[in-house]
């Protein structure tokens, strides 16, 4: 925008030029000098009442002075002359909104005929107020000013916003009498500077109170909140659907023998969910634990056993920190699988035995007991292997799962061979052969016969 010195220089060269006067009016307005801004705007209209820039500057100045009705008149006048200029239409809207905020909508106002009505221009009142601000207060007046309590600090804070801290700072400076008595290098008293700053903030507060009273702000806040709730619900639903779709894709990739693709997608989704808040993703903890497990399983399939173990440890720590029993149980199960894969059978046994109290179904117990028994068999502890094999068989009988009955029976038989209980081993192998035939597992039949 134009600078004030440049506007003065232009007016020296082209005295009375309406464009220069409008530019200087704009400068005065930006500096908060509404009186001179209005003078220049009216001067620019003196010889041409339809000068759009002058009309706009006059309307803007009146609006800033709090004369919303008079401002509306000149916004309308400018719009009727120049309907293509967007700024006049916007001016009409904001002036109308300010008037409604002050007095309510026209339908809510009832006029009664009680004789002559006297209309007093707020413009004249604002001019008088500005003139009063130019009068330098005496020392006694300054003391009186200092002693005046701030009216309703909460309301003032809401109206001034960030400027409230500035006003509080200036009022604090007033208490420093030595500073107030001092002067600047230009000879201006510090007290006058401070008081003019406070006066300016007071006029701003009054203007903002007129433009948008607190009840109007509260109504606007509630309307925003009402609009925000459906938007938020819709957004949460979209986020939820996106996460579910991604999780399904990850499971399909892992089940379809594509651990690399599943791992990459799971890592991307993990980072996305970590950035979300608990409001956006209510089951954030469960999802993060599940994704860490998916990543660990994919890494194990790719042969990255150390990375897999690290992922499952993270899942275990996360489950314990968040008090998620299912996540802890799943992580222990997965860690045992990795230990067994790398030949650390005792570590696998210790990990799985910690999981036993957390097992919820007979099928889960069947698998768990069988894997522990296999590890004991690898460690040549045939007695423990037979014990866990029998536990697995009992759980598989409860579940009615023939395939797991077959596996458990073979495990018991192998343990009995190591214990040299050959007749028991033969009987169990015969039972295993029958179950293998029942499920049409030819590979298992050949293995049992061998």
């Amino acid at each position: 925008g134009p600078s004030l010195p440049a506007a003065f220089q232009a007016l020296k060269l082209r005295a009375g030029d309406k464009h220069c006067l409008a530019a200087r009016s704009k400068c005065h307005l930006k500096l908060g000098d509404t009186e001179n801004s209005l003078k220049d705007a009216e001067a620019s209209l003196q010889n041409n009442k339809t000068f759009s820039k002058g009309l706009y500057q006059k309307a803007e100045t009146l609006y800033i002075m709090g004369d919303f009705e008079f401002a509306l008149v000149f916004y309308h006048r400018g719009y009727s002359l120049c309907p293509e200029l967007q700024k006049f239409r916007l001016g009409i809207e904001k002036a109308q909104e300010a008037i409604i905020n002050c007095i309510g909508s026209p339908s809510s106002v009832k006029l009664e005929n009680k004789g002559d009505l006297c209309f007093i221009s707020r413009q004249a009142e604002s001019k008088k107020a500005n003139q009063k601000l130019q009068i330098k207060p005496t020392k006694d007046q300054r003391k009186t000013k200092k002693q005046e309590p701030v009216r309703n600090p909460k309301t003032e804070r809401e109206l001034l916003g960030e400027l409230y801290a500035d006003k509080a700072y200036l009022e604090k400076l007033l208490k420093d009498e030595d500073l107030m008595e001092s002067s600047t290098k230009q000879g201006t008293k510090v007290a006058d500077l401070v008081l003019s700053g406070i006066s300016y903030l007071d006029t701003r507060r009054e203007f903002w109170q007129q433009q948008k009273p607190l009840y109007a702000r509260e109504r606007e806040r509630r309307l925003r909140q009402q609009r925000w709730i459906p938007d938020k619900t819709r957004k949460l639903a979209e986020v939820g659907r996106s996460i579910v779709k991604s999780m399904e894709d990850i499971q399909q990739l892992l089940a379809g023998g594509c651990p690399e693709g599943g791992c990459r997608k799971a890592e991307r989704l993990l980072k996305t969910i970590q950035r979300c808040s608990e409001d956006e993703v209510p089951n954030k903890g469960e999802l993060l634990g599940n994704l860490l497990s998916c990543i660990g399983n994919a890494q194990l399939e790719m042969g990255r056993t150390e990375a897999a173990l690290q992922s499952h440890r993270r899942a275990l720590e996360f489950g314990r920190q968040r008090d998620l029993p299912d996540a802890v149980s799943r992580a222990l199960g997965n860690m045992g699988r990795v230990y067994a894969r790398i030949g650390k059978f005792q570590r696998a046994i210790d990990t799985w035995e910690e999981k036993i109290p957390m097992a919820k179904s007979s099928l889960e117990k069947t698998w768990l007991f069988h894997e522990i028994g296999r590890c004991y068999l690898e460690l040549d502890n045939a007695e423990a292997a037979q014990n866990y094999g029998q536990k697995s068989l009992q759980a598989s009988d409860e579940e009615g799962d023939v395939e797991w009955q077959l596996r458990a029976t073979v495990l018991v038989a192998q343990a009995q061979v190591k214990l040299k209980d050959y007749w028991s081993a033969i009987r169990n192998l015969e039972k295993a052969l029958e179950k293998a035939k029942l499920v049409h597992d030819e590979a298992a039949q050949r293995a049992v016969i061998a």
Side-chain angles (χ1 to χ4, degrees):
S3 67
L4 195 56
F8 273 111
Q9 192 66 29
L11 281 166
K12 284 181 183 178
L13 297 172
R14 298 170 63 183
D17 182 82
K18 61 183 181 180
H19 293 280
C20 296
L21 286 165
R24 192 169 70 177
S25 171
K26 187 175 182 179
C27 293
H28 282 306
L29 190 60
K30 284 185 178 291
L31 292 170
D33 188 352
T34 51
E35 187 175 358
N36 283 318
S37 176
L38 188 61
K39 280 180 182 177
D40 280 344
E42 288 175 339
S44 73
L45 292 165
Q46 192 169 3
N47 298 320
N48 185 356
K49 301 294 183 185
T50 62
F51 177 46
S52 63
K53 288 183 180 179
L55 285 170
Y56 183 72
Q57 276 310 120
K58 184 168 184 178
E60 282 285 279
T61 306
L62 290 167
Y63 179 84
I64 295 299
M65 292 169 70
D67 283 334
F68 304 127
E69 295 92 341
F70 287 98
L72 184 60
V73 169
F74 288 98
Y75 283 131
H76 268 297
R77 193 171 294 176
Y79 184 69
S80 63
L81 292 167
C82 305
E84 73 281 359
L85 292 179
Q86 186 84 346
K87 59 186 181 181
F88 283 115
R89 187 181 64 78
L90 294 174
I92 290 169
E93 288 176 5
K94 71 180 181 181
Q96 286 176 337
E97 184 185 358
I99 292 166
I100 289 170
N101 284 337
C102 287
I103 64 171
S105 62
S107 60
S108 66
V109 179
K110 292 182 180 179
L111 295 178
E112 296 179 17
N113 185 8
K114 291 186 177 180
D116 295 337
L117 296 174
C118 296
F119 295 95
I120 301 172
S121 167
R122 278 206 297 264
Q123 178 183 342
E125 289 178 348
S126 296
K127 282 184 181 179
K128 287 177 184 177
N130 284 337
Q131 287 168 2
K132 287 177 184 177
L133 290 178
Q134 304 302 319
I135 301 170
K136 291 185 179 180
T138 63
K139 189 173 180 180
D140 292 337
Q141 286 172 329
R142 284 201 296 269
K143 284 182 180 178
T144 306
K145 177 76 177 179
K146 284 187 284 184
Q147 291 166 2
E148 283 180 6
V150 177
R151 290 183 299 171
N152 201 339
K154 185 178 177 182
T155 303
E156 194 163 47
R157 184 183 286 108
E158 193 164 344
L159 288 168
L160 288 174
E162 293 180 1
L163 293 177
Y164 180 79
D166 298 323
K167 188 167 186 288
Y169 175 72
L170 291 173
E171 287 174 341
K172 187 178 178 182
L173 286 182
L174 280 176
K175 296 176 182 177
D176 189 338
E177 294 188 6
D178 293 335
L179 178 64
M180 291 303 101
E181 292 299 325
S182 62
S183 301
T184 64
K185 290 181 181 178
Q186 290 77 23
T188 309
K189 279 205 171 236
V190 173
D192 294 334
L193 289 172
V194 172
L195 286 167
S196 65
I198 291 171
S199 297
Y200 172 76
L201 292 173
D202 284 337
T203 56
R204 289 294 80 202
R205 180 199 63 208
E206 288 166 10
F207 166 69
W208 286 323
Q209 173 64 23
Q210 283 180 306
Q211 183 196 28
K212 191 165 286 185
L214 293 180
Y215 70 83
R217 292 164 195 252
E218 178 63 19
R219 183 179 67 238
E220 194 175 77
R221 186 188 67 78
R222 286 178 182 172
L223 288 171
R224 276 200 309 269
Q225 193 176 37
Q226 287 170 6
R227 286 194 298 269
W228 177 76
I229 289 170
D231 290 346
K232 182 185 176 184
T233 306
R234 186 165 56 252
K235 185 182 176 183
L236 291 179
E238 288 171 2
V239 169
R241 282 194 294 271
S242 174
I243 290 171
V244 169
K245 177 67 170 60
S246 297
M247 290 297 291
E248 288 173 353
D249 292 344
I250 291 164
Q251 295 294 346
Q252 285 178 358
L253 287 166
L254 294 179
C258 185
E260 294 88 351
C263 188
R264 282 196 300 271
K265 196 169 183 70
E267 285 172 341
R268 285 197 298 270
L269 184 58
L270 183 76
K271 289 177 182 176
T272 301
I273 292 175
Q274 282 174 331
R275 288 194 295 268
C276 293
S277 66
E278 296 282 353
D279 289 337
E280 291 172 312
V281 185
N283 57 337
K284 182 177 176 179
E286 289 87 340
L287 282 170
L288 291 175
N290 201 339
L291 282 168
L292 285 169
S293 296
C294 290
I295 292 166
N297 290 337
Q299 290 166 334
L300 182 61
E301 292 303 311
M302 290 187 282
R304 296 167 54 193
T305 52
E306 284 301 320
L309 196 57
Q310 186 63 27
S311 293
H312 291 313
R313 277 178 183 154
R314 282 179 63 197
L316 179 63
E317 289 170 10
F318 190 84
R320 283 174 173 163
Q321 286 171 0
R322 296 288 188 102
D323 192 23
L324 302 169
D326 290 344
V328 171
S329 178
R330 182 177 58 236
L332 288 170
N334 288 326
M335 283 175 66
R337 286 176 58 223
V338 179
Y339 283 131
R341 180 76 65 90
I342 62 178
K344 294 184 177 180
F345 299 114
Q346 190 57 55
R347 294 292 298 274
I349 290 168
D350 294 340
T351 304
W352 277 327
E353 285 184 339
E354 188 181 346
K355 175 182 166 66
I356 290 172
M358 303 177 192
K360 291 185 174 180
S361 66
S362 297
L363 187 60
E364 189 177 5
K365 288 175 184 176
T366 298
W367 166 83
L368 192 54
F369 293 146
H370 179 272
E371 295 304 299
I372 294 172
R374 279 270 159 223
C375 286
Y376 274 121
L377 199 62
E378 292 288 342
L379 293 171
D380 288 326
N381 188 340
E383 192 173 345
Q386 179 183 239
N387 182 31
Y388 273 103
Q390 288 169 341
K391 285 182 176 182
S392 179
L393 183 59
Q394 184 182 351
S396 62
D397 287 341
E398 289 174 8
E399 188 66 30
D401 192 305
V402 179
E403 289 184 354
W404 275 109
Q405 288 169 358
L406 167 62
R407 295 188 187 101
T409 304
V410 169
L411 173 60
V412 170
Q414 288 174 320
Q416 288 169 338
V417 168
K418 288 205 172 192
L419 290 168
K420 298 183 181 181
D421 186 0
Y422 299 119
W423 288 112
S424 297
I426 289 171
R427 281 195 300 272
N428 279 315
L429 287 171
E430 286 173 348
K431 288 178 184 177
L433 184 60
E434 289 174 10
K435 293 183 186 298
K437 288 177 181 177
L438 192 63
V439 294
H440 307 290
D441 190 336
E442 292 180 4
Q445 289 176 46
R446 288 193 296 271
V448 169
I449 291 167

